[in-house]
């Protein structure tokens, strides 16, 4: 029997999830089937290694025949969904998957190039608070007018000469042209090959020269954790799909993809199989949790259904409707939409300074009204704790059945709360009626 205290905690969390409006852009409500698989018996066996179809070393312990079938099935579904050649489905979180990418392609001390934490990047994109900033020498490309600028990125690539170029984001409301970035990196790598000189008096074979050049070339990595739901449904033009252009792609499975809390790594080049698989096991994991692998497979199957494409389109429609609702109330433009008031994905960043409040105060004011979001750094902020922005996203409310009209209403409510306008009782009654309309998600 489950311990009484634990039962109470779980049931409190369930009530909380059912009675709040989650606008955290990185959160979603996975299906009960996914949650059930997360707690399944597949987490019991010790599964160090890979099925023989992935690595000829196979598993390190006996008894993995059934799990081999599971992992192969999950890999096949990941490849089918994202239309790639290879997938590693063992990483346990986005940060874990990202650590494996550094390990696969970099040596300690290598240079890396990413956006900065205060513009759009995740902590694992070179921040000094993580291994990625401690063990590698990270440099940044800046955004211009709060948008990714391809000329700036190219300029920094030639200045920094990184081993790893990191693209992708945690806080950005626009698509990225990965085809363009691929062209920039290809040109850079060709120039590097031409410009690399070797001393004439040292005996070095052509093969060694080629190996040395390959080791210096820039690897293009995209962390599509936030927008992988859009990529899985192929609703964006090919140039915005990193799986077609980046050397390696990582994603969490629990954000727009609506799967379990976990992650995967994707790539197309067979030359990278050994590097990436060995970077996961044995370099950065022992036996991974195969219950999560089962839950990931279920998430990929759910995302392959036509309804999931409707869901993703609705996520975007709802985000824009929510922004429009805020604008309708905020006639004095005290709330500033970072990089413009048109979102191309599931989120928006709002600079709240004009309303005379901090990001933390905005977060607290919304939480007091059962609306959950996160404070967020925006360009110019120095410390995450003193940030002046909030980030809003619609993946979770859309899963719960929010329509365009309801999202617009919620936008108006959010603006009224942050600008301290309107009757608090009226605001509460609108929130209660929105919650009643969607009902309980988890029974
Ligand atoms: N990558 C990006 C772009 C993220 O936004 C996040 C988390 O939000 C992560 C990686 C880390 O994922 P996890 O929390 O699963 O470690």
């Amino acid at each position: 029997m489950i311990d009484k205290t634990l039962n109470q905690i779980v049931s409190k969390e369930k009530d909380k999830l059912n009675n709040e409006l989650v606008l955290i852009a990185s959160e979603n409500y996975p299906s009960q089937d996914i949650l059930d698989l997360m707690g399944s018996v597949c987490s019991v066996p010790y599964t160090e290694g890979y099925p023989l179809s992935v690595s000829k070393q196979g598993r390190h312990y006996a008894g993995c025949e059934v799990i081999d079938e599971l992992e192969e099935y999950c890999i096949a579904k990941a490849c089918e969904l994202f239309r790639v050649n290879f997938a590693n489905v063992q990483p346990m979180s986005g940060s874990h998957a990202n650590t494996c990418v550094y390990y696969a392609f970099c040596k300690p001390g290598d240079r890396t190039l990413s956006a900065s934490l205060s513009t759009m990047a995740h902590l694992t994109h070179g921040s000094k608070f993580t291994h990625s900033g401690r063990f590698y020498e990270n440099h940044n490309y800046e955004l211009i007018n709060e948008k990714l600028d391809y000329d700036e990125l190219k300029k920094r690539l030639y200045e920094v000469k990184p081993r790893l170029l990191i693209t992708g984001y945690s806080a950005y409301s626009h698509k990225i042209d990965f085809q363009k970035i691929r062209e920039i990196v290809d040109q850079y790598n060709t120039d590097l090959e031409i410009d690399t000189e070797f001393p004439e008096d040292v005996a070095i074979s052509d093969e060694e020269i080629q190996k040395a050049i390959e080791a210096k070339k820039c690897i293009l990595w995209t962390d599509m954790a936030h927008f992988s739901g859009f990529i899985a449904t192929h609703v964006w033009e090919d140039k915005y799909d990193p799986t077609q252009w980046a050397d390696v792609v990582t994603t969490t499975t629990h954000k727009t993809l609506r799967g379990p809390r976990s992650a995967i790594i994707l790539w197309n080049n067979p030359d990278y199989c050994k590097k990436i698989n060995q970077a996961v096991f044995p370099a950065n994991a022992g036996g991974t949790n195969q219950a999560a692998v089962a839950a990931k497979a279920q998430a990929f199957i759910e995302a392959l259904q036509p309804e999931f494409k409707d869901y993703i389109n609705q996520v975007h429609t709802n985000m824009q409707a929510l922004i429009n609702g805020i604008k309708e109330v905020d006639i004095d433009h005290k709330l500033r939409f970072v990089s413009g008031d048109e979102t191309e994905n599931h989120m928006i960043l709002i600079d709240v300074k004009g309303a005379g409040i901090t990001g933390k105060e905005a977060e607290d004011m919304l939480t007091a009204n059962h609306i959950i979001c996160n404070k967020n750094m925006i360009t110019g902020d120095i410390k995450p704790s003193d940030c002046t922005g909030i980030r809003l996203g619609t993946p979770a409310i859309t899963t719960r059945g929010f329509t365009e009209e309801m999202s617009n209403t919620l936008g108006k409510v959010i603006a009224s709360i942050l600008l301290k306008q309107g009757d608090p009782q009226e605001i509460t009654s609108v929130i209660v009626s929105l919650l009643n309309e969607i009902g309980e998600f988890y029974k």
Side-chain angles (χ1 to χ4, degrees):
M1 204 166 67
I2 297 176
D3 172 73
K4 201 166 122 223
T5 308
L6 288 174
N7 240 333
Q8 279 168 354
I9 291 171
V10 173
S11 141
K12 262 198 288 186
E13 182 59 29
K14 187 157 70 178
D15 287 349
K16 199 170 81 57
L17 288 172
N18 282 331
N19 290 304
E20 62 192 13
L21 296 169
V22 172
L23 291 176
I24 306 243
S26 49
E27 272 183 34
N28 212 328
Y29 286 33
S31 67
Q32 189 60 51
D33 293 339
I34 288 174
L35 293 184
D36 290 346
L37 284 164
M38 276 294 257
S40 68
V41 292
C42 294
S43 82
V44 176
Y46 226 95
T47 59
E48 286 183 355
Y50 293 101
L52 279 171
S53 56
V54 175
S55 157
K56 59 180 186 309
Q57 262 122 41
R59 300 285 185 188
H60 289 255
Y61 298 154
C64 292
E65 307 75 37
V66 179
I67 290 302
D68 283 353
E69 204 183 311
L70 169 65
E71 192 166 334
E72 282 168 346
Y73 187 58
C74 187
I75 291 171
K77 288 295 160 197
C79 292
E80 180 184 346
L81 181 66
F82 290 105
R83 303 180 186 162
V84 294
N85 295 335
F86 303 103
N88 188 306
V89 297
Q90 293 195 356
M92 290 171 273
S93 68
S95 302
H96 181 209
N98 292 356
T99 303
C100 297
V101 168
Y102 284 94
Y103 192 94
F105 294 103
C106 297
K107 297 184 304 309
D110 274 357
R111 277 189 299 274
T112 59
L113 179 62
S114 72
S116 63
L117 189 60
S118 65
T119 56
M120 57 153 91
H122 185 252
L123 280 162
T124 53
H125 301 175
S127 151
K128 64 178 176 357
F129 301 114
T130 73
H131 86 286
S132 65
R134 181 181 282 202
F135 299 135
Y136 308 96
E137 184 191 312
N138 191 56
H139 298 256
N140 292 140
Y141 48 86
E142 294 307 328
L143 304 198
I144 309 283
N145 296 326
E146 299 180 329
K147 283 206 176 148
L148 193 134
D149 184 280
Y150 301 91
D151 291 335
E152 154 75 6
L153 188 144
K154 181 175 177 180
K155 182 172 110 289
R156 295 294 288 148
L157 180 64
Y158 279 77
E159 282 168 0
V160 174
K161 301 187 180 13
R163 171 63 174 157
L164 196 60
L165 172 60
I166 303 157
T167 57
Y169 52 80
S170 291
Y172 191 59
S173 49
H174 302 281
K175 298 175 196 162
I176 292 177
D177 187 338
F178 294 105
Q179 181 176 8
K180 199 180 256 183
I181 299 179
R182 175 81 264 164
E183 284 160 13
I184 293 169
V185 173
D186 282 348
Q187 185 59 54
Y188 166 81
N189 281 338
T190 306
D191 293 346
L192 185 92
E193 190 152 358
I194 295 165
D195 293 346
T196 305
E197 287 175 4
F198 289 89
E200 279 169 17
D201 53 345
V202 180
I204 180 166
S205 70
D206 286 352
E207 202 183 315
E208 282 168 326
I209 290 178
Q210 204 45 47
K211 229 172 137 188
I213 290 171
E214 285 306 318
K216 280 184 162 190
K217 280 188 179 172
C218 176
I219 297 288
L220 173 57
W221 162 34
T222 302
D223 178 353
M224 62 169 187
H226 263 273
F227 55 95
S228 56
F230 291 88
I231 302 307
T233 45
H234 307 280
V235 290
W236 290 349
E237 264 177 80
D238 284 355
K239 63 181 176 180
Y240 302 117
D241 175 353
T243 65
Q244 302 199 24
W245 309 104
D247 292 296
V248 59
V249 174
T250 51
T251 180
T252 55
T253 47
H254 47 269
K255 299 186 172 66
T256 48
L257 201 52
R258 206 166 66 185
R261 183 160 293 276
S262 202
I264 54 173
I265 307 175
L266 306 169
W267 69 100
N268 287 307
N269 186 343
D271 293 345
Y272 296 154
C273 288
K274 203 166 161 193
K275 266 188 208 307
I276 294 173
N277 288 329
Q278 288 191 349
V280 179
F281 175 85
N284 286 289
T288 45
N289 181 3
Q290 293 283 335
V293 172
K296 278 182 264 196
Q298 174 68 22
F300 303 150
I301 291 160
E302 290 180 13
L304 280 162
Q305 308 312 309
E307 303 84 83
F308 195 74
K309 194 184 242 182
D310 299 338
Y311 161 72
I312 279 293
N313 284 326
Q314 192 66 44
V315 167
H316 173 240
T317 303
N318 285 352
M319 191 64 246
Q320 193 57 54
L322 195 144
I323 292 170
N324 295 344
I326 293 176
K327 282 166 59 185
E328 282 165 47
V329 170
D330 180 24
I331 43 175
D332 295 329
H333 309 293
K334 290 183 173 165
L335 302 169
R336 189 180 70 82
F337 298 98
V338 174
S339 78
D341 58 9
E342 298 272 322
T343 181
E344 292 182 310
N345 55 26
H346 59 294
M347 70 161 104
I348 196 77
L349 269 179
I350 303 178
D351 175 348
V352 295
K353 285 192 284 294
I357 51 176
T358 64
K360 172 79 176 107
E361 282 163 346
E363 184 186 282
D364 289 346
M365 287 160 89
L366 294 174
T367 303
N369 285 281
H370 303 276
I371 298 168
I372 311 300
C373 76
N374 65 283
K375 61 180 181 305
N376 212 97
M377 287 179 88
I378 54 176
T379 308
D381 287 341
I382 312 286
K383 282 202 292 187
S385 51
D386 298 337
C387 66
T388 59
I390 54 170
R391 186 185 64 167
L392 305 178
T394 48
I397 55 165
T398 306
T399 296
R400 294 190 67 189
F402 254 63
T403 60
E404 187 172 355
E405 201 188 330
M406 291 161 79
S407 304
N408 183 270
T409 303
L410 183 56
K412 289 185 196 153
V413 165
I414 288 170
S416 303
I417 294 169
L418 296 180
L419 299 170
K420 302 185 191 109
Q421 287 178 10
D423 174 8
Q425 267 179 348
E426 227 168 81
I427 290 174
T428 306
S429 90
V430 176
I431 294 169
V432 170
S433 73
L434 286 171
L435 279 164
N436 285 340
E437 211 168 329
I438 53 179
E440 284 187 347
F441 187 80
Y442 291 122
K443 302 290 168 216

